[in-house]
Amino acid sequence: VSDFAYSTYLSDLAVDKEYQKLAAAGLVPVMPLEDHPWGDRGFAVQDPNGVMLYIFSLREPSAEFKQYFRQEA
């Protein structure tokens, strides 16, 4: 198992397509594809070298988490 982890941001539709592509290639998700209340839609897989990949797109955070986001001027 590797000590490395990477995050990759994709557009809204691309994250779903990437999930399907990686699952079809045999990578088993260690975190399922889902919307998260902190403001993203993502999933995680572990590659054959043990590197954890978190792939996501941004979403509107829930009210619970929105208070922690900085407002753009």
Side-chain angles (χ1 to χ4, degrees), residues 4 10 12 17 20 25 39-40 42 45 48 52-54 61 69 71 73:
F4 294 106
L10 298 174
D12 289 345
K17 289 180 182 177
Q20 294 169 354
D40 77 17
V45 294
M52 189 70 63
L53 304 169
Y54 182 67
F69 282 74
Q71 299 297 317

Side-chain angles (χ1 to χ4, degrees), residues 21-72:
K21 177 181 162 184
L22 293 175
L27 291 177
V28 177
V30 295
M31 178 192 291
L33 177 63
E34 58 190 4
D35 292 333
H36 300 118
W38 52 84
D40 77 17
R41 175 173 176 76
F43 67 96
V45 294
Q46 192 169 26
D47 79 3
N49 296 312
V51 176
M52 189 70 63
L53 304 169
Y54 182 67
I55 300 169
F56 69 98
S57 64
L58 297 176
R59 295 284 192 269
E60 186 73 21
S62 70
E64 175 187 4
F65 285 89
K66 200 172 221 178
Q67 64 182 322
Y68 301 109
F69 282 74
R70 181 178 57 181
Q71 299 297 317
E72 297 294 326

